[in-house]
Amino acid sequence: MSAAPAWEDVAEPAPPPALLQQLPFRRLSTSRFFSRIAQNALNLALVLLVLDATGKAFYTSLLVLALVVPMMVAGIIAGVAADAIPRRLIVALGNLARAAVCIAYIVEPGGSGTLYVVAVALAVVAPFVAAAEGSILPSIVTRGELARANAIGQAVGGAAQIVGFAVLTPVVLRVFERADVLFGIVAALFVIAAVEAVRIGPVARTREEPDVFPPAPFDPAPDAAAIGAVPEAVPPQPTDGASWWQAGWRAMRRDPAVFKAAIELTLITMMLIILGGLIPTYIRDVLELPFEIGALVLTPAAIGVIVGLRVAGPLAHHLPHGLLSSVGFAAFTGLLLALAFVNEEATFLAGYGAFAWLDDVNLGDFDGGALLAMLTVLPLGFAYANVSVAAQTVLNDRVPLALQGRVVATQGAMAALAASLPVLGAGALGDWLGVQPVMAILAVSIAAATVVNLRS
């Protein structure tokens, strides 16, 4: 008589703990949080310093370009490094390198040209950290947790943006009126991020992939012609015959869903890069606010991102990706148009009784247009979250783990390349025509590109 099976052989395995209770994921999120605070604070500080020195949208767009172009060169190399070198080491050394750049600026601040040197140095290091972090994520969570993990990661980025943009840089520069104090705080944050990256623990480079074809049923009487036949060759892998710098591109092109998701991420990222060069002029010329106050006006966008990501994670598993992306892009386009003309909209709406209170908003330079901008950027961030999470989940879920770094880096390089000339053109047009028509042109352009991508 056979022995009864042990309880542990028949009991269902315990469900995995919640994501934030899993130490590797929590430490990755902590590392990202501190490094994102530092990077956002630095980006805003660099824009402020350049705007104070030049007063032109073209030069702030040139600064954004200095933060973008090196990604095209370093991005692909970063992806290969993330797939070949221990990823925790890359994240730790990358954050320490950015801390060293900040310390070097404190020691030798220089003139306005030094700000561009700092921007380039940070941009060279950033793709290595981003590619390694993006490759770590799918190796420390299960496939079923990817959408939720991406949503939490985006929420961490949104919270870090609020702290960096709305708190750290404005408060430090207003209280101390010295950029070196801010650079010192940011250097410390990068060091903390490096320590947290080391504490993530071992990171796997492979995961169990589901069989593409189920095994054939056993045939007790095989065909005689099949006996002694040569087995079929193993299907080629995405990197077969590809140069190291082509592997990420080939992996995306082999899977139409992955390629479409990469295009969506490229479009939305390109738009944010271009807007990054226009926002300082928008705050000054349209909202007519000091930049520190204007940055606070636009922070509801980060809150919208956090709220949207709370919803986007579950939606990514219950709704078709194309539907989420289409709705997200349509909302983003309409809201961007609304943001461009908030003053005119506030004046128009104030003529109706239900919105007459817009004429009564007058707190110093803060008026109805600024309030309407705050109300507009909240759902704008929500729309961005839906597009970003849906597309990023497709990449993480369908790309083999061994190619995650190269695919992430290639997609980042695509965004940098796509935005490199438009960001300068938008800055020059902003100085010539004004920032409002340029933002309208951008909204129409992103809508047209989205339609082409979805129909393809």
Side-chain angles (χ1 to χ4, degrees):
M1 182 176 179
S2 59
W7 171 252
E8 56 269 18
D9 293 333
V10 297
E12 293 185 0
L19 276 173
L20 290 176
Q21 294 177 0
Q22 300 174 25
L23 280 179
F25 179 77
R26 190 167 70 201
R27 287 168 178 164
L28 174 63
S29 299
T30 304
S31 177
R32 279 178 157 177
F33 181 65
F34 285 112
S35 67
R36 296 297 190 277
I37 291 175
Q39 188 64 61
N40 285 319
L42 272 182
N43 290 345
L44 179 57
L46 290 171
V47 168
L48 279 174
L49 294 171
V50 169
L51 188 63
D52 286 343
T54 64
K56 293 289 186 180
F58 177 80
Y59 289 104
T60 56
S61 296
L62 187 61
L63 176 68
V64 173
L65 191 63
L67 289 165
V68 167
V69 168
M71 293 181 186
M72 294 187 295
V73 179
I76 306 300
I77 303 173
V80 176
D83 292 333
I85 301 173
R87 291 159 180 165
R88 287 184 301 154
L89 179 64
I90 295 175
V91 176
L93 291 181
N95 284 317
L96 291 176
R98 290 192 282 189
V101 171
C102 296
I103 294 171
Y105 179 82
I106 295 172
V107 174
E108 189 62 43
S112 58
T114 307
L115 300 173
Y116 290 92
V117 175
V118 170
V120 170
L122 293 172
V124 168
V125 177
F128 287 88
V129 177
E133 288 175 343
S135 301
I136 288 173
L137 179 63
S139 62
I140 61 175
V141 302
T142 64
R143 279 177 179 261
E145 296 171 324
L146 274 174
R148 175 68 176 152
N150 278 316
I152 293 175
Q154 295 282 357
V156 166
Q161 186 176 9
I162 293 174
V163 176
F165 279 171
V167 179
L168 184 57
T169 298
V171 169
V172 172
L173 292 183
R174 182 62 65 94
V175 172
F176 295 98
E177 297 184 348
R178 292 178 57 185
D180 56 351
V181 175
L182 177 64
F183 275 73
I185 295 173
V186 165
L189 292 175
F190 278 132
V191 172
I192 295 173
V195 172
E196 285 298 297
V198 172
R199 298 178 64 217
I200 291 172
V203 176
R205 290 194 171 272
T206 59
R207 68 181 170 198
E208 291 185 2
E209 303 285 351
D211 292 332
V212 178
F213 301 101
F218 173 69
D219 184 359
D223 182 66
I227 300 176
V230 178
E232 289 186 15
V234 176
Q237 298 300 309
T239 55
D240 289 353
S243 303
W244 61 268
W245 52 273
Q246 293 178 318
W249 175 257
R250 294 279 184 91
M252 287 193 300
R253 292 295 292 160
R254 287 173 63 92
D255 188 334
V258 169
F259 187 69
K260 183 168 290 190
I263 294 296
E264 291 166 2
L265 281 173
T266 297
L267 289 173
I268 202 76
T269 304
M270 177 187 71
M271 183 60 57
L272 293 181
I273 291 172
I274 297 172
L275 287 176
L278 294 175
I279 286 300
T281 308
Y282 173 84
I283 291 173
R284 184 192 65 189
D285 295 348
V286 178
L287 301 184
E288 297 181 348
L289 293 171
F291 192 84
E292 295 87 349
I293 304 300
L296 290 173
V297 170
L298 299 181
T299 50
I303 299 174
V305 170
I306 295 173
V307 175
L309 294 171
R310 183 73 178 175
V311 178
L315 288 180
H317 283 308
H318 293 89
L319 293 178
H321 168 252
L323 176 62
L324 267 182
S325 177
S326 300
V327 172
F329 269 115
F332 188 91
T333 300
L335 291 165
L336 183 58
L337 276 171
L339 184 64
F341 301 101
V342 287
N343 290 330
E344 291 80 359
E345 292 157 9
T347 301
F348 174 77
L349 291 174
Y352 294 89
F355 300 98
W357 51 269
L358 283 171
D359 270 342
D360 299 329
V361 178
N362 190 8
L363 301 174
D365 294 327
F366 187 90
D367 57 11
L371 178 60
L372 195 57
M374 290 186 71
L375 297 176
T376 303
V377 296
L378 183 65
L380 187 72
F382 186 90
Y384 163 77
N386 279 276
V387 175
S388 180
V389 170
Q392 190 64 53
T393 300
V394 171
L395 262 63
N396 287 149
D397 188 54
R398 299 178 67 95
V399 174
L401 192 60
L403 290 174
Q404 288 276 331
R406 276 165 280 190
V407 169
V408 170
T410 301
Q411 187 277 313
M414 288 167 56
L417 179 63
S420 57
L421 290 180
V423 71
L424 280 182
L429 283 176
D431 288 330
W432 180 36
L433 299 177
V435 70
Q436 290 178 296
V438 175
M439 291 176 66
I441 292 170
L442 288 176
V444 173
S445 300
I446 195 73
T450 302
V451 170
V452 170
N453 183 53
L454 291 174
R455 293 188 63 182
S456 67

